Amino acid sequence: MLSNTTIDKLLDMRFRAMADAFRIQQDDPSMKELDFEERFGLLVDAEYSRRKSNRLKKLIHDAEFEEKDASIAGIDYQQDRSLNRQLISRLATCDYISEYRNIFITGKSGSGKTYLACAFGMAACMKYYKVKFVRFSDLLMRLKEAEDESHYLKALKEYINPRLLILDEWLMNPITNAEARYVLDLIHKRRRKSSTIFCSQYEDSGWYAQLGGDETPLADSIMDRIAYDSYKINIRAKDPKNDRSMREVYGIRPEERQ
């Protein structure tokens, strides 16, 4: 039959959703009431939706989020934390990405920095931006290994290319001059082309020292490239004496975060 041949061709071209929709139309008598343009439009809509859905799934998978269920809607504003709902709503539009601006998320361990960063990352994926999440220590280790194996530039591109890069546990410890050079290479290549979210236990006023401070000119160069025109979210308890970790609030055990 002609219809079977058409379905086979659609499948051969990997138009699976269109082929399935065509089968449904063939079996649905009500479809005969629609003209050709309407029926064809429904077929195209089915294939378009499938491809957009698959693209989104791949973007989320490739981002390697630590908080895989994070979402803007899931952000907890009720706990005793100083979160600016208006700012977060504005950032959720992802306009900062098209403007090549960064976000600094700071707060003590367990304050919810990683969840918030991943929520922004999910929002970016929904806009079909390529996103990459990585722990800062893992990034440094990866670039060090790549340099030792003579494919440093190739490894660096893995973190240069995403429109949004999320660096978790940023500057937990002071870094070496060699590691600062990796950071400068990365930041310089991404500047005015993409956006980066920095999650740190230290407020940005302490980053200069963690980057080497007065002992190296690299610290100034890095801060100059990331601090200008960045949004800042400092998650702090309204009542520090009774502050509780978000892991404690939601009963998350350390092994569940691996």
Side-chain angles (χ1 to χ4, degrees), residues 66 105-110 113-114 134-138 140 167-176 179 183 198-203 206-207 209-211 247 257:
E66 181 168 315
I105 304 178
T106 57
K108 73 176 190 178
S109 178
K113 301 185 299 296
T114 300
V134 63
R135 293 172 67 243
F136 185 57
S137 59
D138 290 340
L140 296 179
L167 295 178
D168 198 25
E169 299 180 356
W170 164 253
L171 296 176
M172 283 188 66
N173 300 295
I175 63 175
T176 66
E179 291 170 335
V183 175
F198 301 85
C199 298
S200 178
Q201 293 184 32
Y202 295 92
E203 292 190 36
W207 293 359
Q210 297 293 89
L211 289 166
R247 298 188 185 96
R257 296 179 58 83

Side-chain angles (χ1 to χ4, degrees), residues 136 139-145 147-148 152 156 174-186 210-212 215-219 222:
F136 185 57
L139 168 71
L140 296 179
M141 188 183 306
R142 171 83 173 95
L143 294 179
K144 174 64 169 62
E145 291 175 350
E147 186 174 47
D148 291 344
Y152 173 72
L156 191 64
I175 63 175
T176 66
N177 197 63
E179 291 170 335
R181 179 174 58 81
Y182 300 154
V183 175
L184 181 58
D185 286 345
L186 175 63
Q210 297 293 89
L211 289 166
E215 300 299 319
T216 171
L218 298 179
I222 293 169

Side-chain angles (χ1 to χ4, degrees), residues 53-121:
S53 176
N54 288 348
R55 182 183 174 194
L56 178 58
K57 289 178 182 177
K58 186 176 189 307
L59 285 170
I60 293 174
H61 175 270
D62 291 349
E64 298 183 321
F65 294 118
E66 181 168 315
E67 298 282 359
K68 301 185 184 302
D69 296 324
S71 68
I72 297 297
I75 295 171
D76 187 350
Y77 296 96
Q78 302 305 315
Q79 297 300 325
D80 191 21
R81 302 183 297 166
S82 299
L83 284 179
N84 186 331
R85 187 191 292 264
Q86 185 176 3
L87 174 59
I88 290 174
S89 295
R90 185 160 75 247
L91 294 175
T93 65
C94 298
D95 287 347
Y96 70 96
I97 298 178
S98 60
E99 296 167 354
Y100 313 130
R101 297 176 69 176
N102 301 320
I103 301 176
F104 297 168
I105 304 178
T106 57
K108 73 176 190 178
S109 178
S111 62
K113 301 185 299 296
T114 300
Y115 184 95
L116 183 57
C118 288
F120 286 139

Side-chain angles (χ1 to χ4, degrees), residues 2-19:
L2 181 59
S3 60
N4 290 336
T5 301
T6 299
I7 290 173
D8 288 342
K9 289 179 179 178
L10 288 172
L11 292 174
D12 188 53
M13 291 186 292
R14 299 183 180 179
F15 291 167
R16 187 175 302 279
M18 186 177 283

